[in-house]
Structure formats: structure tokens, C-alpha cells
Amino acid sequence: MSATTYGPRLTANGATFRLWAPAAKSVDVLIDGVAHPLTRDDDGWYSAAIAGVKAGALYRFKIDGDTEVPDPGSRFQPQDVAGPSEIIDHTAYKWRMTDWRGRPWHETVLIETHVGTFTDEGTYAAMIERLDDLVATGFTALELMPLADFPGRRNWGYDGVLWYAPDSAYGRPDDLKALIDAAHERGLMVFLDVVYNHFGPDGNYLGLYAPPFFSDDQTPWGVAINYMLPQVRAYAVENAVAWLRDYRFDGLRLDAVHAIASHGEVPMLHELSNAVGRLAAETGRLIHLVLENDDNQASLLDPTQEPLAGQYRAQWNDDYHHAWHVLLTTEDKGYYSDYAPNPEQHIARALASGFAYQGEASAHRRGLVRGEPSGELPPLAFVNFIQNHDQIGNRALGDRIDAVAPAEGIAAALAITLLAPTIPMLFQGEDFAATTPFPFFCDFQGDLADAIRNGRRKEFAAAYAKFGDEVPDPLSEATFKSSTLNWRERDSVSGRKRHAMVKELLAIRAREISPRLEGAVFGQAAVGADGILTAQWTLSGGVPLRLVANLSDKAIPSGGLNQDGRAIWGGAIGATLMPWAVHWRVGNVI
């Protein structure tokens, strides 16, 4: 067994337990009330082989004969984060889709979801009942917000403290496998959001017996993780591999890697990508890794690398979202200030070369230079969206863009996002103009709950002053329930209209765009003095893809715009471009 393996391992006659506890004087494993001492090696690892232990057994570690803690490598916590860990036999599940090898990255159309609010039941099993709807709409990839065990019954998932254990609020490990199996039966990839930049504020005990796990650095959410140590890097690297191997996820999205303290290097990120690449090579699977990275490091991205060998397929492109949000809502506070007063220019740059910030100074960041040149990357290196969990939920009311922007403008943004040669992503319900909010919610207790309430009031003081009790209490169960998707909205007038448009656009994408994306390259995009956006890319085989759009609520004379190519959306361009009109053409004149 590797010296850096976390969690129990079943053997022919029992199980082997391991814990890295360099600050502990003694460690016992408690099974059915019986204490079994573990033996320490020179690196601070405690281990013991215990006979007669089977899958389903509950256990805890006791540190220095006093404090009982769960296993940081626990595979399941049936009684929440402070309860005993359960041994899971991952070989016991009988996979139906044994031949599934994934789908190529260029076919990806993502829908981001939160298991607890995607259905009324809030479970993996209930999600299965909606998979056919996703496929029929045109999605090819289901992305789950984080599942790592968190305190309480409700959470966004970014407060996870036991990274290997899918939270029991949504079901058991086999239920998660059944969801992924069912998705694969329908041709859907499944991605998981993972958080490697911090641990949540409640339920993490590593500092008690392994203080070197943490550094002196701080993240916006707490103490940074010390990835300079190989034992610590292994915790994250092995975790990524475990999700992909044991549950057969098709990919991972790494949350906010700019907050990973790296001291000028990113060894953990490279090591993780290499480990995932080895898994892909060994299994013959297509596995995809995506970053969220506010630093816009183009050098980390390569969607063509197969299997992965240190790089990442793509990055969530916040620049693209922010520019659209400013254009559609005129909001210009906070980080949105970097995209005003001419958001359409930032949209054009994102369409032409990926990031809007590629080494320019960010006024919001007090003049710090942000980003690297990205135009030489393929368009497939960018995941573009006009909504996600962050950009909805980090608003005081958790209101979606449909509540603050014109429907025609949102339709134009979708018509561009879903047919551009980048990877598109929608947030749950966006395909039918859902009105259900997605405010921040959690289930902490005591002083921590009060601290979160007070912190939100301070962060959103203006909103509390304006809306008062209308601002959702993040600790209230009612706030959580308000976020649950109302699938009946899809049958409303606005829901049917939006859903029909999204479905049509994704059908066009599958037919005209996706088959030509391997080898696609950026071209050029610009917004003229008349306000008309034009853009062009080159798809595989040298086929041009062209866009003409009016990003305003006023009609604009078209001025005889070039109409080379076959119209695939928006029809022919007349003498006038109507407000929010979008026209797409592919290929040359036939």
C-alpha cells in the first residue's frame, strides 16, 4: 500500500486503517466500542490491520486516548461529519454501463445543478427521473455542485470537510453510482465540482493531530492548505482520482484554484492532472478537468492534451459572464466595474480570444495586472455562461438574471453563447427561464450560524437597508426550500418559449457546430461605431463561422453587412438589424 493512501482498505480477512497524525502521541481505531491501537512510523503515519472487519462497519479514530474524530479519508458519514465513518466496498456495486468510455470534450454542453434543490426530493434517485428531460433539451453533460460531506442537512457544498465522503443528505454512495450509471445509459457525461482551496469551518479536525496540513496563508474562506508537503498533496490528488475511479465521474471542475497557496508554483495542480491522465490512459476513458481561476492563467489550459499530462481542458470564463451581466443589467458595482462603461467591447474580446483580461490592470483589484494572453488557445479552452451558482447565489436576494434584465436581451445572450465555438454552460432551470431564486444557504448551528448571519448583513448592508426582511436568512430552511426548482414553470408561457429556443439552439449546435470544433481557432470580433457586433472563427476543415448581432434595444441600419455562408440561426440580414437580433452563418455561400 502506498504510504500516502487515505482511508480504510478492505483485505481478504479484514481491513487496514491508516491515519497521518504527526502531532499525535497515540492513535486507536474504535470499532464497535473496542479500541485497537495503531502503530506509528517515522513519517507520522499510524496504521493497523484488523481482522474480521467488513463493509458497513462503523469506526472512529481516538487521538491520544481522548478526542474521537472521523477518518479524513472516510468514504461515507451516515451520521454527518462528527459521526462515525463507514467502510464502503466500492467493488460491490454492479455497474450496468461497463463499456462507457465517455465523450470527447468538444461535444460538451453543461448544465450545472445542485442535487438538493434540483428536485423536490433533493436526492440522487430523484435526479434520475429528470435525466431524459436534460437529454431531450440537448445537454450532454450534467455537472453536480460539491458533494463532499458538510455539516447539517443543507449546504451549497463548498463547506465540505471530508472530501472522500459524498454527503448523506442526498443518499448513499450506491445511489450516486446509480445516478451516474443512469446518466451514462442516456449518453450524458457527469462532472463533479471539487474544492481543494480550503476546508469548511465546522467538522474539520485535521489541525488537532496534523497541524502541518495548514500553512500561514489565508484564503477568503479560512486557513490555506499546505500543499508543499507530499502527504497533503496526496490528499487532494488521490481524492480527485477516487471520485473519477470509484464513481466513474467523467470530469471534475476545480473551484477557485487562484486561492490555492502555491508560493509561485502550482505543483499540486500539475500532479493532480498527471494522476488523472494516468487513470485515463489505464482505463481508456475520456476524462476532463476544468478550472475556476480568477488569475486567468492561459498557460494551464490545453483542451487537446489526451490524456491529460499536467494541463487542464478549460476554464470557467468569468470575464464573459461579467461583461454580459453589465450589458444586460447596467449594474457596475464591485467586480462588474471592470467591465463598464463599454461591456460590449469586453464581450467582443472574449469571443475573439478567450479572456477579456489578458494582462491588463484591474481597477477593481487596485490596479493589479490580471491574466495571460489567451488568443492562441483553441476556443474549447473556455466554458462560457451567463449564469451560474455563484453569480446568482452571491446576490443578496439570490435572484436570477431574468428578474433584472430584459427577456429579449437574455435570449440574444443565449443565442450567442450556445452557438459560439466555446463550451456552453447553463444553470439549473435556465433553459426554461426559472424564476426560483438560488440564495446562499447552509445549516450551521450556534455561534457559527450567528457569525454567518452577521457577515452577510455586513457584506450586503445596502440590500438589507433597502429590502429588510426580504433578504433571505441563509440559515433558514425556508431559504433552502425557496431554491428548489419548480419544474411546472417549464409549462408556463415564458417557460415554453425559452425552452423551445434553447432546445432549437442546442440542436443546431449538435448538427452544425460540435462536429467541426476539433481544430477550431479564434478569429476576430469587434463592435463597430454603429453598435453592431461582428465575429468570425475558423472551424475544422477551414470552415468559417460568422456572427452578426445587435447588442442593444434599438434598431440599427445593417449597412450591407457581408452575408457569406449558410444561415443557421436568425435568417437573412435585412436593411435593419432589429433590437437584440442575432444572426449566425456557417461555411461559404452555396
Side-chain angles (χ1 to χ4, degrees):
M1 180 187 294
S2 167
T4 55
T5 297
Y6 287 84
R9 188 178 75 169
L10 288 167
T11 61
N13 63 348
T16 299
F17 296 88
R18 294 172 53 81
L19 181 70
W20 187 56
K25 296 178 181 178
S26 68
V27 176
D28 299 304
V29 61
L30 304 178
I31 307 172
D32 295 329
V34 178
H36 304 268
L38 276 62
T39 302
R40 176 179 176 137
D41 68 14
D42 293 339
D43 294 323
W45 282 96
Y46 285 83
S47 63
I50 311 297
V53 180
K54 298 179 180 179
L58 300 178
Y59 68 100
R60 281 187 172 102
F61 291 119
K62 179 178 278 191
I63 309 299
D64 295 338
D66 182 24
T67 306
E68 296 182 11
V69 299
D71 185 351
S74 169
R75 267 45 179 184
F76 190 54
Q77 294 291 120
Q79 300 171 35
D80 211 357
V81 294
S85 304
E86 179 180 336
I87 295 180
I88 298 296
D89 180 4
H90 278 300
T91 67
Y93 181 82
K94 304 302 181 186
W95 291 93
R96 298 186 300 275
M97 291 296 291
T98 56
D99 293 333
W100 175 263
R101 294 294 179 267
R103 297 182 64 159
W105 177 243
H106 68 269
E107 296 180 357
T108 304
V109 178
L110 287 157
I111 180 166
E112 187 194 16
T113 63
H114 177 266
V115 176
T117 59
F118 191 67
T119 63
D120 290 337
E121 298 85 353
T123 63
Y124 304 125
M127 289 192 83
I128 294 174
E129 300 175 12
R130 288 294 178 183
L131 296 180
D132 289 334
D133 294 317
L134 300 182
V135 173
T137 301
F139 295 107
T140 65
L142 171 68
E143 180 170 331
L144 308 181
M145 289 173 63
L147 303 178
D149 203 75
F150 51 77
R153 300 295 299 171
R154 53 188 181 271
N155 197 284
W156 272 17
Y158 298 90
D159 293 313
V161 291
L162 296 170
W163 291 358
Y164 291 76
D167 199 274
S168 61
Y170 308 136
R172 289 187 57 82
D174 277 4
D175 297 324
L176 174 56
K177 293 176 184 178
L179 168 63
I180 295 170
D181 223 2
H184 290 168
E185 286 180 320
R186 293 159 173 80
L188 271 175
M189 295 181 282
V190 188
F191 287 67
L192 177 64
D193 201 345
V194 290
V195 183
Y196 296 140
N197 51 55
H198 77 290
F199 289 92
D202 182 23
N204 175 248
Y205 303 97
L206 283 162
L208 296 176
Y209 52 82
F213 222 95
F214 302 96
S215 73
D216 294 330
D217 295 300
Q218 290 286 325
T219 76
W221 313 283
V223 180
I225 299 169
N226 180 19
Y227 284 120
M228 302 302 286
L229 293 181
Q231 297 94 332
V232 181
R233 287 202 303 277
Y235 189 71
V237 171
E238 292 180 7
N239 178 254
V241 172
W243 286 118
L244 296 164
R245 179 193 62 226
D246 298 338
Y247 292 93
R248 302 196 182 183
F249 280 99
D250 298 280
L252 303 174
R253 177 261 191 187
L254 278 64
D255 178 69
V257 299
H258 55 271
I260 293 176
S262 58
H263 302 285
E265 299 178 38
V266 283
M268 190 279 283
L269 290 180
H270 287 299
E271 190 172 329
L272 189 152
S273 173
N274 280 313
V276 170
R278 288 192 295 271
L279 175 66
E282 292 165 3
T283 59
R285 293 166 54 194
L286 297 171
I287 300 178
H288 312 298
L289 295 178
V290 179
L291 297 176
E292 179 193 27
N293 187 0
D294 193 61
D295 291 339
N296 283 2
Q297 290 174 278
S299 54
L300 290 176
L301 308 177
D302 183 357
T304 68
Q305 194 176 75
E306 192 63 61
L308 292 165
Q311 302 295 95
Y312 289 76
R313 290 271 184 264
Q315 178 181 314
W316 275 24
N317 193 357
D318 282 344
D319 283 353
Y320 183 84
H321 165 273
H322 296 346
W324 270 111
H325 191 88
V326 174
L327 178 70
L328 293 173
T329 69
T330 70
E331 294 178 10
D332 59 1
K333 301 297 187 292
Y335 48 70
Y336 291 134
S337 62
D338 276 350
Y339 304 86
N342 298 306
E344 62 277 6
Q345 300 295 341
H346 292 284
I347 293 172
R349 192 177 200 205
L351 290 171
S353 57
F355 298 132
Y357 278 81
Q358 301 181 29
E360 291 76 24
S362 163
H364 172 66
R365 296 165 181 81
R366 297 184 176 89
L368 289 177
V369 169
R370 173 171 174 255
E372 298 173 351
S374 58
E376 296 302 314
L377 288 171
L380 290 172
F382 302 90
V383 176
N384 284 350
F385 46 87
I386 60 171
Q387 294 190 85
N388 66 24
H389 75 274
D390 264 334
Q391 309 306 335
I392 300 170
N394 285 336
R395 298 170 63 80
L397 301 180
D399 47 343
R400 294 171 180 255
I401 197 168
D402 285 277
V404 292
E408 297 82 0
I410 297 171
L414 286 170
I416 292 173
T417 304
L418 297 183
L419 292 187
T422 47
I423 298 296
M425 183 180 76
L426 274 65
F427 185 67
Q428 61 181 33
E430 187 177 356
D431 52 311
F432 54 86
T435 63
T436 46
F438 194 74
F440 176 71
F441 52 79
C442 55
D443 190 20
F444 296 119
Q445 304 298 320
D447 292 343
L448 180 56
D450 292 337
I452 289 173
R453 283 193 182 98
N454 293 334
R456 297 286 289 184
R457 285 186 174 275
K458 182 178 180 180
E459 182 179 1
F460 297 106
Y464 275 93
K466 180 178 180 180
F467 298 109
D469 291 340
E470 290 183 42
V471 179
D473 176 2
L475 281 302
S476 169
E477 185 176 8
T479 300
F480 166 70
K481 289 184 175 179
S482 74
S483 305
T484 301
L485 271 185
N486 178 3
W487 284 86
R488 292 181 296 277
E489 284 193 302
R490 197 174 61 170
D491 296 323
S492 68
V493 173
S494 59
R496 289 197 303 270
K497 182 178 180 181
R498 175 70 59 78
H499 188 257
M501 185 193 73
V502 170
K503 187 175 181 179
E504 180 183 1
L505 285 164
L506 291 182
I508 294 171
R509 181 180 184 87
R511 183 178 66 247
E512 303 282 357
I513 308 299
S514 292
R516 300 184 171 105
L517 285 181
E518 287 189 291
V521 297
F522 281 117
Q524 55 189 6
V527 178
D530 54 7
I532 295 176
L533 168 70
T534 59
Q536 180 171 320
W537 303 261
T538 302
L539 305 180
S540 61
V543 175
L545 175 67
R546 298 182 176 89
L547 166 67
V548 174
N550 177 0
L551 302 186
S552 76
D553 57 3
K554 300 177 178 60
I556 301 175
S558 65
L561 283 167
N562 188 311
Q563 295 193 58
D564 285 353
R566 173 172 51 87
I568 58 173
W569 174 264
I573 299 174
T576 301
L577 279 180
M578 300 303 293
W580 301 113
V582 175
H583 297 264
W584 283 99
R585 307 184 78 82
V586 67
N588 296 310
V589 176
I590 298 176

